[in-house]
Amino acid sequence: MKNHKFMWLISIMLVLSVFLAACGDKKDDAGTTEPVKDKEEDKGTTEEPAKEVAQVLNLIETAEIPSIDSSISEDAVSFIVLNNVMEGLYRLDQDSLPVPAMADGEPEISEDGLTYTFKIRDAEWSNGTPVTAHDFVYAWQRAVDPATGSPYGPYLMAGMVKNATEIGEGKAEIADLGITAKDDKTLVVQLERPVSYFLSLMSFGTFLPLNEEFVTAQGDKYASNAEAMIYNGPFSLSDWDGTGNWKYLKNDKYWDADTVKLDEIVVDVVLETATGVKLYEQGKKDRVVLSAEYAMQFAEDPDVVNELEMSVFYFKMNQMRDGKATPLANADIRKAIAKGYNKEELADAVLANGSIAANYLVPQEFTFDEDGKDFRDYSSEFSAYNVEEAQALWTKGLEALGTDKVTLEILGGDTENAKKQQEWFKSELERNLPGLTISLKEVPFAVRLELDDTSDYDIQSAGWGADFQDPISFMELFVTGSPQNKMNYSNPAYDKLIESTKTTYAKDPIKRFEVFAEAEKILLEDDAAIAPNYQRGRMALMNPAVKGLVTHPFGGDYSYKWTYME
């Protein structure tokens, strides 16, 4: 912030009166109110008057942005960006509850729960064009169109939005999708079935509006750089050419711009934790997520913040590659791998950042029944570490394959943390499963997404964060044909159970949870289609001057709308 001192001295006289008027009650990221007294309220204190602070937040990201086209985006980094530069019918508030955003109040819902009528508030895109109901119709139709290749559009809308399934099967036209604009201010959505989490889903990136005129004019260049987009959220993207670092600038056209205090957010891509920590200690960055050795080093530091994320990481085990069955097509081989490494050691010694061992897919403390009972209490734990069982399964699998040696590749990231985990996986599995050789393929995140899309891997170190607050956000990932499956796994019994949670048991929340638990057992124990590793914890150093930075358990990880520098 030293770089801003000169400009601060020049500008303070201009902003002082505005600042004093703005120093009302502000909420920090725990939701507690911190009243700031102005001069007239001061009853005898000798404190110096509050000084103006540059409203610039300096952050680190460990990966570049793969895509900020909301129809195409499918990763955590992109959804963080979209959550701060765009806004849907709803957004998550400071308590991660869905609240109306582009929607002007709550929708009118038909008695059968199948028709939602939204009024669109007065709002503008960053180029001054009004946001209308037509922008939502265009965006949803674009996302569900098979020609777009959206990883989320067909997946989320099929079986939920009227005619989405038929469009995917070529039995209906794009215009038949159950979303219409009665006029510029009235949007009507028709569902195939009642969906209890529908409004929560309306804050998700795939359902953001798009201005058809602008997108069409940009053509293939749309969302390829900061200037090839327009924004309707709290910030606009800046200084991004499609790769590398970026900035957020306050969007003065945003309908709730008065709430936004930050003028600028500077984001630099930094792969190494050591570099990030150094930048933090030098005062050049306001937050850095810590890897294991730094998490232990700074565990007692007053700047440390701890968070348990609603993200679970696991091995995807690909059963067919290049048109040929892999050794992982054998269930005993998959089960041996799933039981063949110590997840407690991984969480406590390798990660050491508050992550916890996971023998499950749906996270702890994520979703609850109407009595507050955690979904995890409905289900069990699966594929726990057991070397003896793993070796017995391994021997059985090798015999079925007619060999005593197998070589498998683990596809993972190229960050410091990812490399450390992958080396540990290699050591553990080769030690515990005789005859197994592991090769490591460490690539940038965007490359890993490409390899995943073509199923060009044996084992992939992957993870998933919740999109909305329901078990299906995780459980539907591995149904046959899911765009997140991409490991050639298919079980009709599993598919049938997941479908029943959307139809037969849609209005029976207790039975839904029980069916999800049954499906989780099939996925993780009976089939060992994936091998869960850990539920991610996050330990970070954060500048105490940063207030109101909101973290979300699902959707985009962070909201900066309420953040300010104290």
Side-chain angles (χ1 to χ4, degrees):
M1 294 181 186
K2 292 180 179 178
N3 295 334
H4 297 281
K5 181 179 286 187
F6 181 68
M7 290 304 297
W8 172 76
L9 288 170
I10 293 174
S11 62
I12 189 168
M13 294 182 66
L14 295 175
V15 301
L16 185 57
S17 60
V18 175
F19 170 73
L20 290 173
C23 281
D25 289 356
K26 297 179 181 179
K27 292 187 177 181
D28 64 13
D29 52 1
T32 56
T33 302
E34 298 182 355
V36 181
K37 294 182 178 181
D38 64 21
K39 188 174 180 180
E40 292 181 358
E41 292 175 322
D42 190 349
K43 306 301 182 181
T45 179
T46 58
E47 292 180 0
E48 291 292 325
K51 295 182 179 180
E52 177 72 2
V53 176
Q55 293 300 316
V56 179
L57 180 65
N58 291 282
L59 298 177
I60 287 171
E61 185 54 78
T62 57
E64 295 184 351
I65 303 171
S67 174
I68 48 171
D69 182 337
S70 57
S71 300
I72 301 298
S73 297
E74 59 177 327
D75 64 283
V77 177
S78 300
F79 284 131
I80 291 171
V81 176
L82 287 170
N83 186 48
N84 288 286
V85 301
M86 302 285 278
E87 193 161 88
L89 292 168
Y90 276 60
R91 77 155 43 247
L92 298 182
D93 69 7
Q94 290 141 297
D95 297 314
S96 294
L97 298 174
V99 295
M102 287 296 101
D104 190 7
E106 300 291 343
E108 178 185 329
I109 306 173
S110 62
E111 289 187 10
D112 59 8
L114 298 181
T115 303
Y116 286 69
T117 302
F118 297 91
K119 290 295 183 180
I120 305 301
R121 73 165 65 250
D122 293 333
E124 293 183 355
W125 292 97
S126 52
N127 66 353
T129 304
V131 177
T132 72
H134 302 281
D135 296 332
F136 288 92
V137 174
Y138 171 69
W140 291 27
Q141 289 179 347
R142 183 174 183 261
V144 83
D145 187 346
T148 302
S150 171
Y152 266 113
Y155 162 66
L156 289 175
M157 293 191 216
M160 182 180 74
V161 181
K162 187 176 180 180
N163 292 327
T165 300
E166 289 76 8
I167 291 169
E169 296 172 346
K171 298 177 181 178
E173 301 296 323
I174 303 298
D176 295 330
L177 186 67
I179 181 170
T180 54
K182 290 181 66 176
D183 52 52
D184 286 351
K185 292 292 186 179
T186 309
L187 181 72
V188 179
V189 178
Q190 294 176 292
L191 304 183
E192 295 279 8
R193 57 183 173 84
V195 179
S196 59
Y197 51 84
F198 179 70
L199 293 180
S200 173
L201 199 54
M202 290 303 93
S203 66
F204 190 64
T206 306
F207 297 98
L208 295 168
L210 293 171
N211 181 276
E212 182 175 9
E213 181 179 0
F214 184 88
V215 174
T216 303
Q218 293 294 317
D220 292 341
K221 293 182 179 180
Y222 176 71
S224 62
N225 59 70
E227 286 69 40
M229 283 187 69
I230 52 176
Y231 312 93
N232 73 322
F235 298 92
S236 296
L237 201 62
S238 176
D239 292 24
W240 182 66
D241 62 3
T243 60
N245 307 329
W246 64 92
K247 292 181 181 179
Y248 302 93
L249 301 178
K250 180 176 179 178
N251 178 10
D252 292 329
K253 297 288 187 181
Y254 179 52
W255 70 272
D256 196 21
D258 289 347
T259 297
V260 181
K261 304 305 179 188
L262 289 175
D263 295 317
E264 181 179 348
I265 304 171
V266 180
V267 183
D268 291 327
V269 178
V270 178
L271 298 181
E272 303 298 329
T273 305
T275 304
V277 170
K278 183 177 180 180
L279 291 169
Y280 180 85
E281 291 180 324
Q282 292 173 341
K284 295 179 180 178
K285 290 295 172 184
D286 293 310
R287 180 182 167 100
V288 58
V289 176
L290 301 174
S291 58
E293 62 271 30
Y294 291 99
M296 290 184 281
Q297 177 182 338
F298 288 97
E300 303 303 320
D301 193 291
D303 288 4
V304 161
V305 292
N306 292 282
E307 302 153 359
L308 181 63
E309 299 183 36
M310 299 303 108
S311 300
V312 172
F313 287 74
Y314 44 78
F315 281 154
K316 292 175 69 172
M317 294 189 275
N318 188 17
Q319 299 183 33
M320 184 172 290
R321 186 176 185 181
D322 297 327
K324 299 177 182 178
T326 72
L328 297 164
N330 182 286
D332 290 320
I333 294 293
R334 297 195 303 273
K335 291 176 182 179
I337 290 172
K339 292 175 175 285
Y341 50 96
N342 189 337
K343 300 172 188 178
E344 298 286 349
E345 179 181 312
L346 170 65
D348 297 340
V350 180
L351 297 170
N353 60 358
S355 296
I356 57 177
N359 295 306
Y360 49 79
L361 176 59
V362 180
Q364 294 183 22
E365 301 178 16
F366 166 54
T367 186
F368 308 85
D369 67 16
E370 58 188 9
D371 295 322
K373 183 179 177 181
D374 194 316
F375 170 77
R376 291 265 38 97
D377 294 328
Y378 283 83
S379 192
S380 302
E381 295 203 349
F382 311 97
S383 302
Y385 174 57
N386 188 312
V387 174
E388 289 185 3
E389 290 183 9
Q391 290 178 346
L393 289 161
W394 183 250
T395 299
K396 183 180 177 183
L398 290 180
E399 290 175 353
L401 294 175
T403 185
D404 61 355
K405 296 179 181 179
V406 167
T407 298
L408 294 170
E409 173 191 272
I410 294 181
L411 171 64
D414 65 344
T415 66
E416 177 187 3
N417 289 349
K419 290 179 179 180
K420 185 174 182 178
Q421 289 178 53
Q422 284 139 211
E423 290 289 349
W424 182 86
F425 283 130
K426 174 180 170 68
S427 174
E428 280 282 292
L429 288 169
E430 289 182 343
R431 176 167 57 86
N432 291 333
L433 302 178
L436 174 61
T437 299
I438 295 289
S439 64
L440 300 178
K441 187 169 186 176
E442 299 164 337
V443 299
F445 183 60
V447 175
R448 183 166 66 79
L449 290 179
E450 292 174 3
L451 294 171
D452 176 72
D453 192 53
T454 56
S455 299
D456 190 8
Y457 64 91
D458 294 330
I459 299 173
Q460 181 183 170
S461 185
W464 190 261
D467 298 327
F468 48 92
Q469 198 171 13
D470 190 88
I472 202 169
S473 182
F474 288 87
M475 300 301 296
E476 200 170 31
L477 297 174
F478 301 107
V479 299
T480 303
S482 163
Q484 278 71 41
N485 187 320
K486 299 297 175 67
M487 57 185 191
N488 296 287
Y489 168 69
S490 177
N491 185 325
Y494 180 83
D495 296 348
K496 185 176 180 180
L497 287 172
I498 300 304
E499 182 62 24
S500 73
T501 67
K502 300 186 287 185
T503 53
T504 308
Y505 306 116
K507 295 184 178 181
D508 187 343
I510 300 301
K511 184 62 178 178
R512 281 186 84 241
F513 272 26
E514 292 171 350
V515 170
F516 280 131
E518 185 180 349
E520 192 176 41
K521 179 180 181 296
I522 291 175
L523 181 73
L524 302 184
E525 182 174 278
D526 299 350
D527 292 348
I530 63 171
N533 294 327
Y534 62 93
Q535 183 174 345
R536 186 166 66 185
R538 188 163 46 202
M539 183 181 289
L541 289 169
M542 189 161 75
N543 181 353
V546 178
K547 302 296 180 182
L549 195 157
V550 178
T551 61
H552 298 299
F554 50 91
D557 288 349
Y558 303 106
S559 285
Y560 307 126
K561 173 176 176 174
W562 301 279
T563 307
Y564 64 95
M565 305 300 293
E566 185 177 67

